[in-house]
Amino acid sequence: MSVELIYIESKEEMEKGNGGRLIMKHEALRLYEYHVWANEKVFERLQEVPEGVSEQEVPSVFPTITQTLAHMLKTDYVWLLAMKGESYEEVGQKVGVLLQELKGKNVHELRKLFAESAQQFRDFFGQISMDDTSPYTHPALGTVHARYADIVQHIANHGTYHRGNISAMLRQMGHAGASSDYIFYLFETSAVEQ
């Protein structure tokens, strides 16, 4: 998957789409696209390993790769809802429904859900400014006011952590992990830009 990046200054230009190219106006958007690209690299790698590897239990943060992927998707969903202004309670209810829907999903089904989630984020990003702030309330931690860009940073960092878990799990089972370092994304996207 290749992404062409063009930096712009206004939300109006972003909505035009400029011939179908993905247009960015903020570094946080580039970081989010890296997150999507890196997840896709993991899915590409998982297509190359024998069937059943994603369900094989190993000692790790989550017992299986599919459970790790489901956690990643759930967490992305939590933050999308939170950025949209949903309350902690509303998020909890919707995540409960999502968790039921994710039960038993295989890697191919999860891949489709990741793609749908990425589009939901992009649609939302087209309606906001990354430098605007929003309150995020947690019953035990209190309230923090954070820029949307900071939440995107968190989402990407969280994804990087768990992509590393998946690579470690694959290695434990005798398979190479996915190459999803940010520098590889920069090389791939800079080649497209030229």
Side-chain angles (χ1 to χ4, degrees):
M1 178 178 115
S2 295
V3 177
E4 183 174 359
L5 303 173
I6 300 170
Y7 288 90
I8 61 173
E9 296 301 318
S10 72
K11 195 183 294 186
E12 292 75 29
E13 288 181 63
M14 186 174 176
E15 292 169 356
K16 288 180 187 173
N18 198 1
R21 294 180 287 187
L22 181 60
I23 299 175
M24 305 276 173
K25 75 172 202 160
H26 198 286
E27 279 298 314
L29 295 173
R30 184 180 188 119
L31 186 59
Y32 183 75
E33 289 305 323
Y34 157 71
H35 175 65
V36 172
W37 173 90
N39 287 339
E40 184 59 25
K41 291 296 178 190
V42 169
F43 283 113
E44 288 172 6
R45 180 68 190 112
L46 292 174
Q47 282 187 308
E48 300 168 354
V49 299
E51 196 171 325
V53 165
S54 297
E55 292 300 327
Q56 187 175 333
E57 290 197 13
V58 295
S60 189
V61 176
F62 292 94
T64 68
I65 290 172
T66 53
Q67 288 178 12
T68 306
L69 291 167
H71 167 77
M72 292 169 65
L73 184 63
K74 175 204 74 158
T75 303
D76 282 7
Y77 185 59
V78 164
W79 287 109
L80 178 61
L81 294 173
M83 285 191 293
K84 288 181 171 184
E86 303 226 6
S87 72
Y88 183 84
E89 293 76 19
E90 291 169 325
V91 170
Q93 290 172 354
K94 289 182 178 182
V95 167
V97 171
L98 176 66
L99 289 174
Q100 290 302 315
E101 293 172 2
L102 292 177
K103 283 185 180 178
K105 297 283 188 211
N106 64 35
V107 170
H108 304 292
E109 294 166 319
L110 288 169
R111 188 179 195 176
K112 289 176 72 174
L113 293 171
F114 268 77
E116 291 170 11
S117 173
Q119 190 55 54
Q120 291 172 354
F121 271 95
R122 289 179 184 122
D123 292 345
F124 177 70
F125 293 158
Q127 302 168 21
I128 62 164
S129 168
M130 281 291 160
D131 290 319
D132 286 347
T133 61
S134 182
Y136 302 93
T137 302
H138 186 280
L141 301 174
T143 299
V144 64
H145 292 267
R147 294 178 317 141
Y148 291 113
D150 295 323
I151 301 303
V152 171
Q153 176 75 51
H154 171 69
I155 291 166
N157 286 346
H158 180 262
T160 297
Y161 173 75
H162 287 298
R163 286 186 293 272
N165 293 150
I166 292 170
S167 286
M169 294 167 87
L170 285 168
R171 290 209 177 275
Q172 284 177 271
M173 293 182 275
H175 305 284
S179 295
S180 63
D181 287 353
Y182 187 69
I183 194 66
F184 297 133
Y185 168 77
L186 293 178
F187 274 110
E188 187 172 310
T189 58
S190 71
V192 170
E193 291 171 354
Q194 295 172 4

